[in-house]
Amino acid sequence: MNKIYDFNEQNLALAAQTIQNGGLVAFPTETVYGLGADSFNAQAVAAIFAAKGRPTFNPLISHIAEIDMLSDLAVPDSRALALAKKFWPGPLTFILPRKEANSALDLVCAGLPNISIRMPNHEIALALIKLSGTPIAAPSANRSQTISPTTAQHVADSLGDKVDVILDGGACKVGVESTIIDLTTKDVVILRAGGLAKETLENFLGEKVLLSHGNPDLPTSPGQMLKHYAPKLITRINVTPDMRQPNEFYIGFGKMDCDLNLSSKSDTTEAAANLFAYMHLAEQQTNYPQIAIAPIPDEGLGLAINDRIRRASYK
Ligand code: TXA
Ligand code: MG
């Protein structure tokens, strides 16, 4: 079935409704096409990872349509606000401290205390975000390890069977991803060079901007999860129901007796959406001194889940 829709009022309404219902909408931005879902809907965000076949929960950029939406999600200082006024909408993404512990944003942030945000410079993207009434989390709309899409047809070729709606906006003007800058440190650091030049930033700020030497597509951020999510309680993984000890809070998967079930129907996408929230709950409960987690198959998002819980169980 052809998922590519022309941009008109009716199709925009369909796309916004799809976002509100937890579906996936590919949409054009000035950089590349994004694969979008409601940032506040963990199940929908998990579906993005599943559709892309991403092996880990890399944090995702939340796209907003007004500068006012920034302080709903993050704690922008005067430097961030000045940059936003100057360069938004545009191909520049900020890493900022998250506003507060809002567990609905845990998956989009991959458990990090920071959030990445940008306002895309594209009529269709802005209209979609506004009509959906929520920030839209979106990585590039391609399968993991393939080239980023700059036309609706690229998206259809790569993800046609996984996405609900592809809004067609022609070819992307910028065509490379946004420049990502870390604004949580004293110096501004570029984590990924992109659509906005370093010099342009330096001219505006009147100071040197540093360039991170990490792999731009593999920032150190996802690894920091390890620290962030090292639970305070001893955690064992791959624990089958018969192996569970009486002092363990038990997080299950599939049909079984347990304290919380990641997915009773053994759906790894549903499990991924629940994972961060359940790990928080397990840590907060006071009935058991330890945590045990049932085996999760290494299929679909199971690989990413196992990567995360392996870190969580690491002593
Ligand atoms: O131009 C773009 O930025 C496009 C369009 C769709 O907006 N999006 C995009 O997203 O390129 P994606 O997911 O393919 O790349 C975003 C990068 C990832 O490498 C991710 O690890 C990093 O940004 N990132 C996201 N949130 C982060 C955070 N809180 N801390 C550090 N890095 C982060
Ligand atoms: Mg990408």
Side-chain angles (χ1 to χ4, degrees), residues 105-168:
L105 293 172
D106 279 354
L107 190 57
V108 85
C109 297
L112 295 167
N114 299 329
I115 185 163
S116 59
I117 303 178
R118 90 177 183 99
M119 190 194 297
N121 186 16
H122 198 292
E123 179 197 3
I124 298 179
L126 294 171
L128 177 65
I129 298 161
K130 280 185 191 153
L131 196 60
S132 304
T134 183
I136 296 184
S140 48
N142 53 298
R143 288 190 61 82
S144 201
Q145 321 225 309
T146 64
I147 297 167
S148 289
T150 52
T151 66
Q153 190 60 47
H154 289 162
V155 181
D157 293 345
S158 190
L159 294 172
D161 52 335
K162 310 266 198 259
V163 60
D164 298 308
V165 172
I166 303 169
L167 282 178
D168 194 349

Side-chain angles (χ1 to χ4, degrees), residues 27 29-35 52 54 58-61 63 91 93 95-96 108-109 112 114-116 118 120 138-142 148 176-180 191-192 216-222:
F27 60 96
T29 79
E30 81 278 36
T31 59
V32 298
Y33 275 72
L35 179 62
K52 282 184 67 86
R54 259 202 186 172
N58 224 352
L60 301 180
I61 299 170
H63 297 70
T93 297
I95 311 281
L96 286 167
V108 85
C109 297
L112 295 167
N114 299 329
I115 185 163
S116 59
R118 90 177 183 99
S140 48
N142 53 298
S148 289
V176 296
E177 291 91 342
S178 61
T179 299
I180 302 178
L191 299 183
R192 177 179 75 184
D217 287 323
L218 282 175
T220 49
S221 46

Side-chain angles (χ1 to χ4, degrees), residues 29 55 57 70 128 150 173 185 190 219 222-223 251 305:
T29 79
F57 299 126
L70 181 57
L128 177 65
T150 52
K173 291 225 167 70
T185 47
I190 293 182
I251 299 179
I305 295 169

